[in-house]
């Protein structure tokens, strides 16, 4: 157990920041609004500093969970405040801490009052409320990654829905009338879908406790490993499906995905990044930590079905992205396709697949943030989300167009950029055990190239369309957001070893708990001996 509560501090900083930000006096002018933005930004940067220390202190190949904290909470029911990070959790905590400051900088004016042409207020929003909600989401996501008590995880898994609901419904892109109804509809749909998933999970959590009499993840998994705890097949399958349903909604996995295009379409670009690059990662992370480790036999039983759904997500999401007219909805369907790849890697149950899936979570977070935030800068200048309203932007804003292209190339997994390594590992790991599904999934790469390059061609190339003549290039604040994200994509594409070294021991531990090993390669080699005869050698 760590002597200093590093993990608690990592989550407490954004939580305290949210309270302090919400308590700031209401802004009356642009100067006071900027003051109300600087305070949460400072808290997010401080959180990044602590998360970096946590990552530096983590010892790859060391104890399964490190920097652990354990305090009794509701002792009558065996509920404890238990935290700990493995290699998978620590990189996702760092990813969250890295992205939130960029989301805040990119969203600098997204909570400013909205006025019409006459200067009349259409929406007068509390600036500090917007940034306080972002910090609240960060705190709950970080605690979800750190929790090693199943009930504690459930609390924050559900609690993060409330600030996200207000970020979508209260601070979305739309302003008034029918548009506001669309924003409210998206927020309610997001909340109801995820609450339904959480309700099913709650029943499974209660069922787990009635069998094990504890919520301690480590105690349960250790008992499963040493044979002192056994689930009946029926009970294990039912509990697995209860957990998996909630995580598949959050992820999201087809056919439980329909809330995501609405939510991302109606949210501001920064909040859309928060949804898909941060919050949704809790779903795929939880599949690795809870579904596979608590229910190893059920995971193997349902893996083929889940893999089929993942492949459908890959192809379905990519096909719908190709046909979108709205930029943000295109990114949403692209994310559904990418989450299909992540889930494919998880349930292929190979070391390459799961390492690739974890790397994919990181790379998808960075690449989606880069692509969508640049798209947000473009949409804020033009005042439209429709692809048809753009054209020739590279002639008037070459830096904006160039960074948009790099973000898009990362999305389609161009070699040399981060997502390529992770997507390659996922496909290799899947092909080892399910070659047919691996082959079908590769179609998602072709479709990704189609929707990314067609979007770039329609928005950035050709003659300048009317209305785009005065589109300004990226400003200093916007370059501060985009440049580090692109640099990270390059580093992750060229040298992913530091993250892979942290992740791989945890992946191997997960596979051993599921009782899976990588399929042995079968190699036929023709060997010519000195006498000139040929021997065929085979290996398993």
């Amino acid at each position: 157990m760590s002597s200093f509560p590093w993990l608690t501090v990592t989550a407490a900083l954004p939580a305290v920041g949210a309270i302090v930000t919400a308590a700031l006096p209401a802004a009356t002018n642009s100067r006071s609004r900027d003051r109300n933005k600087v305070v949460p930004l400072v808290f997010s940067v401080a959180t990044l500093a602590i998360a970096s220390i946590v990552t530096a202190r983590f010892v790859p190949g060391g104890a399964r969970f490190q920097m652990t904290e354990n305090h009794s909470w509701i002792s009558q029911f065996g509920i404890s405040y238990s935290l700990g990070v493995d290699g998978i959790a620590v990189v996702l905590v760092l990813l969250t801490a890295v992205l939130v400051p960029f989301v805040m900088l990119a969203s600098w004016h997204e909570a400013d009052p909205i006025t019409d042409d006459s200067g009349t207020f259409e929406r007068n929003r509390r600036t500090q409320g917007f940034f306080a909600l972002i910090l609240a989401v960060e705190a709950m996501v970080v605690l979800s990654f750190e929790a090693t008590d199943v009930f504690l995880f459930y609390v924050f898994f559900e609690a993060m829905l409330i600030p996200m609901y207000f970020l979508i419904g209260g601070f979305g892109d739309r302003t008034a009338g029918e548009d506001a109804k669309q924003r409210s509809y998206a927020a309610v749909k997001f909340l109801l879908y995820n609450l339904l998933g959480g309700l099913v999970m709650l029943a499974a959590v209660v069922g787990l406790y009635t069998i094990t009499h504890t919520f301690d993840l480590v105690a349960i998994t250790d008992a499963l490993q040493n044979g002192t705890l056994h689930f009946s097949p029926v009970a294990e399958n039912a509990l697995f499906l209860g957990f998996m349903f909630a995580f598949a909604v959050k992820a999201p996995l087809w056919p439980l995905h329909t809330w995501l295009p609405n939510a991302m379409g109606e949210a501001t670009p920064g909040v859309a990044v928060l949804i898909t690059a941060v919050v949704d990662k809790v779903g795929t992370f939880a599949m690795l930590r809870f579904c596979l480790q608590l229910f190893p036999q059920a995971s193997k039983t349902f893996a083929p079905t889940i893999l089929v759904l993942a492949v459908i997500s890959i192809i379905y999401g990519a096909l719908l992205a190709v046909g979108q007219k709205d930029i943000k909805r295109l990114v949403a369907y692209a994310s559904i396709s990418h989450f299909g790849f992540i889930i494919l890697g998880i349930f292929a149950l190979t070391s390459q697949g799961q390492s690739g899936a974890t790397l994919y979570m990181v790379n998808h977070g960075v690449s989606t943030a880069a692509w969508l935030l640049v798209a947000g800068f473009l949409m804020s200048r033009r005042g439209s989300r429709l692809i048809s309203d753009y054209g020739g932007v590279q002639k008037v804003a070459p830096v904006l167009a160039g960074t948009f292209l790099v973000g898009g190339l990362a999305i389609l997994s161009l070699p040399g950029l981060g997502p390529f390594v992770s997507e390659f590992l996922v496909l290799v790991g899947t092909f080892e055990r399910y070659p047919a599904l691996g082959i079908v999934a590769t179609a998602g790469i072709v479709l990704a190239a189609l929707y990314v390059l067609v979007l770039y061609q329609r928005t950035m190339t050709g003659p300048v369309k009317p209305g785009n003549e005065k589109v300004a290039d990226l400003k200093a604040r916007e370059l501060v957001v985009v440049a580090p994200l692109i640099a990270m994509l390059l580093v992750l594409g060229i040298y992913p070893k530091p993250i892979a070294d942290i992740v791989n021991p945890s992946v191997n531990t997960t596979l051993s708990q599921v009782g899976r090993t990588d399929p042995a390669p079968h190699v036929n080699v023709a060997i010519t001996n000195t006498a000139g005869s040929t021997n065929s050698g085979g290996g398993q």
Side-chain angles (χ1 to χ4, degrees):
M1 185 177 295
S2 175
S3 58
F4 183 81
W6 289 106
L7 301 186
T8 292
V9 172
T10 308
L13 267 175
V16 172
I19 296 170
V20 171
T21 303
L24 292 173
T28 56
N29 52 48
S30 60
R31 178 175 296 180
S32 57
R33 275 195 297 273
D34 285 342
R35 177 202 63 206
N36 288 352
K37 298 169 187 176
V38 169
V39 171
L41 180 61
V42 169
F43 274 97
S44 70
V45 172
T47 303
L48 173 56
I50 298 298
S52 300
I53 293 173
V54 168
T55 306
R57 288 175 58 87
F58 185 84
V59 181
R64 177 184 168 196
F65 291 108
Q66 300 181 28
M67 288 165 276
T68 56
E69 302 172 35
N70 198 317
H71 306 282
S72 179
W73 181 18
I74 308 175
S75 56
Q76 298 92 328
F77 298 102
I79 300 172
S80 62
Y81 176 79
S82 298
L83 306 180
V85 288
D86 60 4
I88 299 169
V90 77
V91 298
L92 292 177
V93 169
L94 182 62
L95 171 69
T96 303
V98 165
L99 291 181
V100 168
F102 292 122
V103 167
M104 287 189 175
L105 280 172
S107 306
W108 204 249
H109 297 296
E110 287 183 358
D112 289 350
I114 297 176
T115 58
D116 59 21
D117 293 336
S118 65
T120 303
F121 282 114
E122 291 188 8
R123 288 173 70 194
N124 189 6
R125 304 172 293 183
R126 294 182 76 247
T127 301
Q128 64 269 39
F130 177 77
F131 290 96
L133 289 169
I134 291 176
L135 287 172
V137 171
E138 181 180 19
M140 293 173 188
V141 169
V142 167
L143 280 168
S144 297
F145 290 140
E146 295 174 346
T148 56
D149 181 279
V150 178
F151 187 84
L152 184 70
F153 169 83
Y154 171 77
V155 169
F156 293 109
F157 181 81
E158 288 293 276
M160 71 180 71
L161 301 179
I162 304 305
M164 285 305 310
Y165 168 79
F166 288 110
L167 283 170
I168 297 167
F171 295 92
D173 261 357
R174 310 284 187 157
T175 54
E178 292 299 318
D179 288 342
K181 292 181 181 178
Q182 290 297 317
R183 186 180 69 247
S184 298
Y185 169 77
V188 170
K189 187 174 183 179
F190 161 83
L191 187 63
L192 291 180
Y193 264 65
N194 283 277
L195 283 177
L196 175 61
L199 181 63
V200 174
M201 181 184 169
L202 178 59
V205 169
V206 173
L208 178 68
Y209 179 78
T210 60
I211 297 173
T212 64
H213 304 293
T214 182
F215 291 108
D216 189 330
L217 173 69
V218 176
I220 296 171
T221 54
D222 286 349
L224 288 169
Q225 286 291 97
N226 61 35
T228 58
L229 173 65
H230 298 278
F231 293 113
S232 71
V234 172
E236 183 172 355
N237 289 345
L239 293 174
F240 171 87
L241 290 174
F243 277 78
M244 184 63 198
F245 180 82
F247 304 152
V249 172
K250 182 84 78 180
L253 176 68
W254 184 93
L256 304 172
H257 67 283
T258 59
W259 64 267
L260 183 64
N262 296 103
M264 286 186 64
E266 300 305 323
T268 61
V271 173
V273 168
L274 201 63
I275 294 170
T276 190
V278 176
V279 171
D280 288 353
K281 298 297 185 300
V282 177
T284 46
F285 162 79
M287 293 176 192
L288 281 164
R289 173 165 282 189
F290 296 102
C291 284
L292 268 58
Q293 297 188 32
L294 290 174
F295 315 111
Q297 296 305 316
S299 298
K300 290 185 281 190
T301 299
F302 290 103
T305 302
I306 295 170
L307 289 170
V308 170
L309 295 178
V311 171
I312 293 174
S313 288
I314 292 168
I315 305 302
Y316 171 86
L319 284 173
L320 265 67
V322 170
Q324 289 304 304
K325 300 178 180 178
D326 181 305
I327 295 175
K328 284 197 293 182
R329 289 180 70 90
L330 185 153
V331 178
Y333 281 109
S335 290
I336 291 169
S337 181
H338 295 147
F339 275 103
F341 276 110
I342 295 171
I343 296 169
L344 188 72
I346 291 171
F347 283 94
L349 300 180
T350 60
S351 59
Q352 294 95 333
Q354 292 193 355
S355 295
T358 305
L359 286 171
Y360 214 131
M361 290 187 229
V362 175
N363 287 315
H364 173 260
V366 178
S367 59
T368 299
W371 200 36
L372 186 51
L373 292 179
V374 175
F377 297 148
L378 175 64
M379 290 183 285
S380 67
R381 287 157 164 74
R382 182 67 174 80
S384 174
R385 295 161 23 182
L386 297 177
I387 299 171
S388 58
D389 286 339
Y390 296 92
V393 173
Q394 68 177 8
K395 294 181 179 178
V396 294
V399 177
L400 188 154
T403 52
F404 187 72
L405 177 61
V406 174
L409 294 176
I411 291 291
L412 63 81
S413 298
L414 183 76
L417 297 173
F420 170 76
V421 178
S422 45
E423 195 164 282
F424 178 79
L425 286 172
V426 165
L427 291 173
V428 168
T430 303
F431 190 83
E432 281 189 344
R433 184 159 274 136
Y434 302 96
L437 292 176
I439 291 170
V440 175
T442 56
I445 301 174
V446 179
L447 292 170
L450 183 60
Y451 62 69
V452 168
L453 296 177
V454 168
L455 174 64
Y456 181 82
Q457 183 267 329
R458 293 178 63 187
T459 56
M460 301 296 171
T461 65
V464 179
K465 276 196 172 183
N468 293 321
E469 303 90 346
K470 296 183 179 180
V471 170
D473 217 335
L474 294 182
K475 301 174 183 177
R477 172 181 58 85
E478 296 163 338
L479 286 170
V480 169
V481 172
V482 176
L485 294 173
I486 291 177
M488 281 188 274
L489 289 173
L490 291 169
V491 171
L492 290 169
I494 297 170
Y495 192 62
K497 186 177 183 296
I499 292 181
D501 286 345
I502 295 174
V503 165
N504 287 339
S506 297
V507 165
N508 292 332
T509 299
T510 301
L511 283 175
S512 68
Q513 290 175 327
V514 180
R516 282 289 198 187
T517 57
D518 290 334
H522 181 79
V523 182
N524 289 314
V525 182
I527 303 174
T528 303
N529 60 28
T530 56
S533 60
T534 301
N535 298 322
S536 246
Q540 286 291 338

